[in-house]
Amino acid sequence: MWLRRKFGHMIINKNQKNRVYFFKPSSLYDIVTAKPLSRLENSRALKYREGIFLLYEMSKQTKVSNFFGKPKLNDSIPQEKKDKKSGGKVKKRIIESSDEESNSEVDTKKIKFERENERENKTESSSEMDEDNVKEEQDDNLESELVSTKKLVDQKDMKDVGADWKKGEPVPYAGLCKTFEAIESTTKRLEIQEYLTSFFKHTIELSPGNLLETLYLCLNRVCPEYENVELGIGESLLIKAIAEVTGRTTQKVKNELAKVGDLGKVARDSKNSQKSISSMFGNRDKLLTVPKVFNSMKKIASLTGHSSQDLKIKEIQNLLISCRDEEPKFLTRSLEGKLRIGLAEQTVLICLAQAFVMTDKEYEKLAKAKKTEELNNAIKTIKSVYSELPSYDKIVPALLKGGIKNLREHCKLTPGIPLKPMLAHPTKSITDVLDSVEGHKFTCEFKYDGERGQIHRLEDGTTKIFSRNLEDNTVKYPDIIERISKAAKTNTKSYVLDCEVVAWDLEKHILLPFQVLSTRKRKDVKEAEIKVSVCLFAFDLLYLNGESLLKKSLEERRKLMNDSFQEIEDEFSFVQNINATNIEEIQSYLDESIKANCEGLMVKILDGLESTYEPSKRSRNWLKLKKDYLSGVGDSLDLVVVGAFYGRGKRTNVYGAFLLACYDPEHEEYQTICKIGTGFSDSDLETHFNYLKEKETSEPKSYFNYDKGTKPDVWFEPCQVWEVKAADLSISPIYKAAIGQISEASKGVSLRFPRFIRIREDKKPEDATTSEQVAELFQNQYNNKE
Ligand SMILES: Nc1ncnc2c1ncn2[C@@H]1O[C@H](COP(=O)(O)OP(=O)(O)OP(=O)(O)O)[C@@H](O)[C@H]1O
Ligand SMILES: [Mg+2]
Ligand SMILES: [Mg+2]
């Protein structure tokens, strides 16, 4: 229905999502004079792909007023995204159009980005998945864009990859590295998909037993994400291993690293120029295989304790010795913890689905349209299954056994395996909230300030509690485990309950702030010794007695929750809520929540398709309204510490200020956002110094985007996330956050008056606030001021 010619064209700027620009066909070439029409909320058209702009043609039958509200005067023209890597020179995009193009051909072919470096084309659908609240069920048209229309790389093109790969033999690591190399060398998402799908196809056909290991190496993991096993081997350990294997001094390797910036490349170059030395070890000709590399990595990740460093080095050396060509590069990067080839998990999922469809014997016999349909359905299935059951350990064997068609049957939300929680969208005012939920039945709940807890009760009676980041917190909360069986009614056998765990004053019967909760011990907690009591506030039920409730409306889920559990004073309660409808009611409920020591409100859509539980998505169907941030930014930011400045005066023995960065998943880089020196107590500064001095690196990481003018005295490995509050966001010539995503293409965004709030123990550096979120916070602030 969308993609028709004649009427006009819409262009959606991905980085200022919801911003739609409308063009008549005649003005297609003239992007600069395009007039923006309006914001477009909650519509199917919000899918974007292939970089920043998406070109759609609208049908004649579609009434413009259905999609556009009143024009906003302050909307600005879409800006080119600055290419940081090519020195910031912005080149003009040319949009070609032909009235004869059909739907499926509305493709990258039509959007030529005249740039030296097209990295931005690597937009991953992960952000689409995470950020869009568009219902997948309605997305048939758009999903088809995910499928490559080009012919897949066939067997002969893969001869490099598979020269030594015979049916039944282990997958050669060289083949996987060739595929990584190909993926790294292109910026086009469809091409990336072709390479990986093809490799998976080969694996399924030749060595199905290695598919799981292959997949894990693509994702740089050794087990399901929720098991939280970190691979990240420290730089100094790797340098040592590389030096020893290649017969160089560590200093020489360090010098190279300073020059090249990528330890992977240093390893490759050192290795390839040191053949004679590595041959002394004798087993140079032995080919590395995917299972060998995977198992070694798993072993390295599991080594702990006293002599683990030496054992790790030995294991790494063994791998490095057998490496050749590009292998040392990818191996080293994997060991460092990140491949940095522009391959996101959502792409891996798409490729896995495509590979399974294509290896089905019946597939080749299908007509073209039917093939596309099959691929689309498979992608939809796998994504939805993975969001319920994020474990390839379960999914891959099920796929190998019953194919994609039977996947849903074998893999369902399972108590014991945490799912990524649904997240909320920040808002800055009650009117913002009302704009968003207009036309829907909605509810306002207190927003408690504690820690998220996903409580799982298994069929066998075991109870577990997982954090926002899927960490197993069961040992931290023996008191919760104890009480939850009292709160569950007799007929409530198995369940997954979404709660907030909040510190609680048992004498006064009031909520205590988050700071109190954070003093609670994490490990070896014995119930009798607990100093900080907690009360549990349940807000959602995702699974009950063998059945997943994710697709039910919030209203239904809430009813089931109320029917299946009972409140226990001081221990277990349902979140307070009202079904308010107007500004006054919401305002007074917000005030009430603050009086009760809450942070503000959560506003959620209650019924209809928009009220299902959307695992891992930052949904617009859940809005957070935080009192503290209403006059400022809307929310706090979670930023990564990338550098520090030596202190003066009272702060001489510690770092006095720090350089912070947000994360840009699209470019896989950290972008500086501010210098911060406020909000720290003396003991905070000491704690930071003691922790961070171990993380200093000789050079900034190649994936830090910063300006010389903001260079700190020392750089760090990205290792810790801090929650930071700011007065507002402003455009900056020297900070790089969200560069290219705001109206002044060559400038970034920085925080004004940043203030340290706390360490986010529950977020990893890559879970930090993204540059896209920064751009959005900036944009919202701008919109509200106008
Ligand atoms: N009634 C409620 N419904 C849902 N979540 C709630 C509720 N009350 C408190 N919360 C908590 O609020 C969190 C969302 O807001 P918050 O700003 O605290 O998120 P966060 O952990 O900082 O993550 P991010 O900033 O990335 O969204 C939820 O993850 C949950 O832990
Ligand atoms: Mg919180
Ligand atoms: Mg937050």
Side-chain angles (χ1 to χ4, degrees):
M1 140 178 137
W2 277 96
L3 312 172
R4 291 276 182 76
R5 60 197 169 87
K6 293 256 164 63
F7 196 91
H9 293 73
M10 281 197 315
I11 290 186
I12 298 179
N13 184 335
K14 164 187 168 294
N15 294 312
Q16 296 173 11
K17 243 187 301 139
N18 303 358
R19 215 139 284 276
V20 177
Y21 301 90
F22 182 71
F23 302 81
K24 288 192 179 129
S26 58
S27 62
L28 258 178
Y29 293 94
D30 197 359
I31 191 164
V32 186
T33 60
K35 290 276 185 297
L37 277 192
S38 174
R39 267 157 54 116
L40 186 80
E41 298 267 6
N42 287 347
S43 160
R44 278 191 264 176
L46 287 184
K47 280 274 173 178
Y48 47 80
R49 66 187 181 95
E50 296 300 334
I52 303 177
F53 296 120
L54 175 60
L55 189 67
Y56 279 122
E57 296 185 282
M58 280 178 53
S59 97
K60 257 190 209 164
Q61 300 93 315
T62 313
K63 270 173 82 183
V64 176
S65 55
N66 288 349
F67 299 99
F68 302 123
K70 274 190 225 127
K72 277 205 177 169
L73 296 174
N74 61 343
D75 279 341
S76 54
I77 339 167
Q79 290 294 331
E80 301 290 339
K81 196 168 175 183
K82 187 190 161 199
D83 183 351
K84 297 151 296 226
K85 299 285 188 282
S86 59
K89 211 169 131 207
V90 177
K91 299 201 172 177
K92 207 174 163 190
R93 279 158 219 273
I94 297 174
I95 298 186
E96 292 178 344
S97 96
S98 144
D99 275 357
E100 302 315 312
E101 293 275 357
S102 70
N103 295 359
S104 62
E105 285 155 348
V106 178
D107 197 321
T108 24
K109 280 181 283 169
K110 296 181 72 179
I111 306 176
K112 278 192 193 158
F113 292 9
E114 265 196 17
R115 319 159 46 108
E116 285 148 21
N117 184 346
E118 289 188 336
R119 289 189 64 182
E120 66 197 37
N121 258 349
K122 270 192 185 174
T123 305
E124 296 292 351
S125 48
S126 62
S127 45
E128 297 175 356
M129 285 294 292
D130 289 343
E131 302 288 335
D132 276 354
N133 60 351
V134 181
K135 288 274 164 286
E136 289 200 356
E137 285 71 15
Q138 305 167 350
D139 265 344
D140 287 3
N141 275 343
L142 299 166
E143 275 289 357
S144 67
E145 294 162 16
L146 296 171
V147 182
S148 158
T149 47
K150 279 208 255 169
K151 218 173 96 251
L152 282 166
V153 182
D154 59 20
Q155 189 95 30
K156 70 178 175 338
D157 293 316
M158 294 293 285
K159 69 175 182 304
D160 271 353
V161 167
D164 301 314
W165 187 0
K166 299 197 185 68
K167 199 171 165 91
E169 284 183 0
V171 178
Y173 185 56
L176 186 62
C177 289
K178 285 252 160 64
T179 305
F180 287 165
E181 188 70 16
I183 290 171
E184 192 181 23
S185 70
T186 181
T187 56
K188 302 202 175 65
R189 192 154 51 88
L190 293 186
E191 255 174 47
I192 294 177
Q193 288 181 19
E194 281 173 16
Y195 294 128
L196 193 63
T197 302
S198 178
F199 195 77
F200 284 160
K201 254 177 77 185
H202 282 70
T203 311
I204 295 167
E205 278 160 358
L206 302 174
S207 324
N210 292 154
L211 182 64
L212 185 61
E213 292 135 334
T214 308
L215 191 80
Y216 273 136
L217 288 187
C218 292
L219 296 163
N220 223 61
R221 270 182 222 149
V222 291
C223 58
E225 202 184 2
Y226 69 85
E227 288 181 18
N228 274 298
V229 175
E230 284 292 329
L231 243 180
I233 311 287
E235 191 178 280
S236 51
L237 207 69
L238 280 170
I239 290 180
K240 208 165 152 194
I242 294 167
E244 281 176 28
V245 167
T246 58
R248 302 187 164 192
T249 61
T250 49
Q251 192 53 48
K252 184 143 192 226
V253 178
K254 274 188 195 157
N255 293 347
E256 279 294 302
L257 177 62
K259 243 193 284 163
V260 182
D262 172 4
L263 196 57
K265 286 185 184 153
V266 173
R268 176 195 61 194
D269 298 345
S270 320
K271 185 76 195 75
N272 292 342
S273 61
Q274 291 283 328
K275 291 223 161 87
S276 55
I277 290 189
S278 48
S279 66
M280 282 171 9
F281 291 85
N283 56 352
R284 183 178 140 243
D285 292 331
K286 214 169 145 210
L287 279 182
L288 270 183
T289 65
V290 162
K292 161 84 183 117
V293 174
F294 177 79
N295 290 330
S296 288
M297 286 203 186
K298 197 160 179 147
K299 188 168 163 198
I300 292 166
S302 71
L303 287 169
T304 51
H306 212 51
S307 51
S308 68
Q309 297 290 73
D310 289 342
L311 291 173
K312 279 185 191 177
I313 292 206
K314 228 180 234 142
E315 197 68 36
I316 295 169
Q317 283 174 343
N318 278 339
L319 288 173
L320 278 172
I321 285 165
S322 317
C323 271
R324 52 168 85 184
D325 305 324
E326 293 297 318
E327 291 171 343
K329 180 169 101 184
F330 295 110
L331 182 75
T332 307
R333 287 194 196 163
S334 286
L335 290 165
E336 273 187 301
K338 192 96 175 73
L339 274 172
R340 299 193 186 283
I341 54 172
L343 182 63
E345 183 155 17
Q346 292 298 320
T347 310
V348 176
L349 277 170
I350 290 170
C351 298
L352 190 65
Q354 297 194 118
F356 269 97
V357 174
M358 289 172 171
T359 42
D360 188 328
K361 283 185 204 79
E362 299 302 307
Y363 177 75
E364 278 313 316
K365 298 179 201 153
L366 298 176
K368 198 176 165 210
K370 191 76 186 131
K371 280 184 178 165
T372 311
E373 191 189 320
E374 290 274 302
L375 291 170
N376 288 340
N377 290 340
I379 291 168
K380 231 193 272 178
T381 305
I382 215 162
K383 283 184 175 175
S384 120
V385 166
Y386 186 73
S387 75
E388 281 188 32
L389 186 75
S391 167
Y392 297 107
D393 286 1
K394 300 261 187 271
I395 291 178
V396 169
L399 279 170
L400 288 168
K401 200 166 157 221
I404 211 122
K405 289 213 175 80
N406 300 309
L407 186 64
R408 256 192 237 272
E409 225 153 276
H410 297 301
C411 294
K412 293 191 177 123
L413 197 160
T414 309
I417 299 180
L419 58 163
K420 287 203 175 167
M422 178 165 172
L423 302 173
H425 213 84
T427 48
K428 275 175 55 77
S429 66
I430 297 177
T431 41
D432 259 14
V433 169
L434 286 173
D435 276 352
S436 278
V437 297
E438 211 188 343
H440 295 279
K441 196 167 165 188
F442 62 92
T443 180
C444 301
E445 297 176 348
F446 276 11
K447 182 178 187 309
Y448 298 82
D449 192 9
E451 177 177 36
R452 191 139 181 185
Q454 201 181 84
I455 302 181
H456 289 233
R457 169 75 156 207
L458 285 60
E459 303 285 347
D460 69 3
T462 321
T463 309
K464 288 182 176 223
I465 176 163
F466 296 97
S467 74
R468 177 192 191 279
N469 227 13
L470 313 189
E471 262 162 283
D472 192 334
N473 265 348
T474 313
V475 291
K476 184 176 172 189
Y477 291 117
D479 42 349
I480 292 181
I481 303 297
E482 226 274 313
R483 81 178 56 150
I484 194 74
S485 48
K486 284 188 280 163
K489 292 188 182 165
T490 353
N491 290 337
T492 310
K493 305 281 186 227
S494 60
Y495 54 83
V496 175
L497 190 67
D498 211 350
C499 308
E500 186 81 350
V501 181
V502 196
W504 184 255
D505 187 324
L506 279 174
E507 276 162 25
K508 297 192 192 131
H509 310 284
I510 52 164
L511 294 160
L512 295 170
F514 176 83
Q515 280 68 18
V516 178
L517 182 70
S518 65
T519 59
R520 189 170 156 132
K521 259 178 83 180
R522 271 167 235 283
K523 288 179 189 138
D524 301 327
V525 180
K526 302 215 172 51
E527 221 186 320
E529 297 164 10
I530 290 173
K531 294 208 181 70
V532 179
S533 302
V534 292
C535 186
L536 210 55
F537 291 87
F539 52 81
D540 218 321
L541 183 64
L542 317 183
Y543 183 95
L544 180 65
N545 295 338
E547 196 197 340
S548 161
L549 309 181
L550 297 180
K551 298 283 183 230
K552 291 199 187 297
S553 71
L554 175 56
E555 202 161 31
E556 291 171 280
R557 299 198 305 276
R558 189 188 264 176
K559 178 161 187 328
L560 288 167
M561 176 172 81
N562 291 334
D563 291 347
S564 313
F565 293 83
Q566 59 209 358
E567 297 197 295
I568 308 172
E569 207 191 345
D570 293 332
E571 293 190 4
F572 178 88
S573 169
F574 300 116
V575 291
Q576 276 205 44
N577 67 84
I578 53 162
N579 294 347
T581 47
N582 59 44
I583 292 200
E584 292 73 28
E585 278 173 348
I586 300 178
Q587 182 63 56
S588 79
Y589 203 53
L590 178 63
D591 296 340
E592 212 179 298
S593 81
I594 301 301
K595 277 198 205 106
N597 279 349
C598 286
E599 267 188 304
L601 300 179
M602 292 285 284
V603 182
K604 301 174 179 176
I605 297 196
L606 257 184
D607 69 356
L609 274 180
E610 282 82 4
S611 74
T612 60
Y613 191 92
E614 303 166 83
S616 86
K617 284 191 193 167
R618 187 175 299 281
S619 170
R620 281 176 197 272
N621 302 323
W622 277 22
L623 303 171
K624 50 181 172 184
L625 187 64
K626 294 193 192 177
K627 181 86 170 177
D628 265 11
Y629 299 99
L630 288 186
S631 54
V633 179
D635 200 1
S636 56
L637 289 93
D638 300 314
L639 303 167
V640 182
V641 204
V642 292
F645 302 84
Y646 294 126
R648 292 204 203 107
K650 254 174 66 189
R651 297 183 174 180
T652 8
N653 295 321
V654 291
Y655 306 124
F658 305 85
L659 183 63
L660 301 182
C662 65
Y663 185 60
D664 179 352
E666 207 175 314
H667 297 98
E668 299 183 280
E669 69 179 17
Y670 294 90
Q671 301 172 336
T672 52
I673 190 165
C674 67
K675 181 175 170 179
I676 186 171
T678 315
F680 305 103
S681 66
D682 290 347
S683 89
D684 284 341
L685 287 173
E686 212 175 301
T687 314
H688 294 330
F689 181 74
N690 290 333
Y691 177 74
L692 291 167
K693 68 173 192 280
E694 306 291 329
K695 310 287 178 187
E696 284 186 18
T697 55
S698 46
E699 296 293 324
K701 294 282 174 194
S702 57
Y703 44 87
F704 288 174
N705 191 350
Y706 69 99
D707 183 278
K708 278 198 207 94
T710 59
K711 197 167 174 280
D713 297 323
V714 292
W715 293 100
F716 302 124
E717 303 253 359
C719 59
Q720 201 171 62
V721 177
W722 291 355
E723 185 171 350
V724 167
K725 203 169 156 173
D728 55 31
L729 300 133
S730 60
I731 292 186
S732 161
I734 50 170
Y735 289 102
K736 304 288 184 176
I739 192 151
Q741 301 192 32
I742 51 160
S743 54
E744 284 190 60
S746 62
K747 296 192 174 150
V749 170
S750 75
L751 298 188
R752 295 213 311 145
F753 306 113
R755 188 176 181 78
F756 171 81
I757 306 180
R758 62 177 167 119
I759 299 174
R760 286 292 305 238
E761 304 276 6
D762 59 344
K763 283 194 170 188
K764 295 182 203 127
E766 283 174 16
D767 302 322
T769 301
T770 62
S771 49
E772 197 171 344
Q773 281 175 280
V774 171
E776 201 170 328
L777 289 172
F778 175 78
Q779 196 62 41
N780 284 344
Q781 170 183 280
Y782 175 75
N783 283 346
N784 283 4
K785 272 187 194 153
E786 287 294 306

